[in-house]
Amino acid sequence: MTAHQFRTRVYYEDTDLAGIVYYANYLKFIERARTEWVASLGVDQMELKAREGVVFAVRRVEADFLRPARFGDELVVETTLQSLGGARIGLEQVVTRGGERVFVAVVTLVCLTEDGHAARIPVEVRGKLAGPLH
């Protein structure tokens, strides 16, 4: 499976008093990477919400903080589809700096209706997402 790559830089606002990335900001980095991954597959999330009445939401994140990233570091977030269920998407997201892993997350997304109930992933979207599995 090919990983989608999203590049970002650590800004001063991303760091804590010690000058390292504040732990919660890794969630922002991987969120941005997921948004770009879905867009790269041709899925317009705003259109999906308007047309189908469904959105994707994070259900679970399992995170490992391996090395500190610091102000000015260039990071790459690699997103790899691990599984695709009826209403669930399983991803692995790895943040690297110069090829070294600094953060790894296993993320479960769910497809929800606007009122928060589980919904099946629309067939058209499923086809676009499934492409990387084959």
Side-chain angles (χ1 to χ4, degrees):
M1 288 175 266
T2 304
H4 175 268
Q5 294 192 339
F6 170 75
R7 298 181 183 285
T8 191
R9 179 182 305 277
V10 176
Y11 295 100
Y12 184 75
E13 67 185 22
D14 299 321
T15 62
D16 63 14
L17 193 58
I20 63 175
V21 171
Y22 180 67
Y23 78 96
N25 287 330
Y26 287 100
L27 299 178
K28 292 180 182 181
F29 298 157
I30 65 174
E31 176 70 36
R32 292 173 193 152
R34 285 194 306 275
T35 298
E36 294 300 328
W37 169 67
V38 170
S40 77
L41 297 173
V43 177
D44 180 329
Q45 293 187 73
M46 295 303 290
E47 181 182 311
L48 182 63
K49 180 181 176 187
R51 190 182 69 239
E52 302 283 340
V54 296
V55 297
F56 295 114
V58 173
R59 169 71 170 91
R60 183 173 196 276
V61 175
E62 181 180 325
D64 285 318
F65 301 87
L66 306 173
R67 305 262 187 280
R70 301 180 185 284
F71 173 70
D73 284 352
E74 291 188 27
L75 304 176
V76 177
V77 182
E78 296 180 347
T79 302
T80 306
L81 180 65
Q82 298 293 308
S83 64
L84 185 59
R88 290 181 185 240
I89 301 168
L91 303 171
E92 179 184 58
Q93 293 191 273
V94 179
V95 179
T96 62
R97 176 190 52 225
E100 176 186 39
R101 289 174 161 223
V102 296
F103 176 84
V104 177
V106 176
V107 181
T108 301
L109 302 174
V110 293
C111 186
L112 299 175
T113 62
E114 290 186 57
D115 62 359
H117 291 93
R120 292 192 65 77
I121 299 168
V123 174
E124 177 186 335
V125 174
R126 174 180 297 287
K128 291 177 180 181
L129 296 175
L133 283 176
H134 304 292

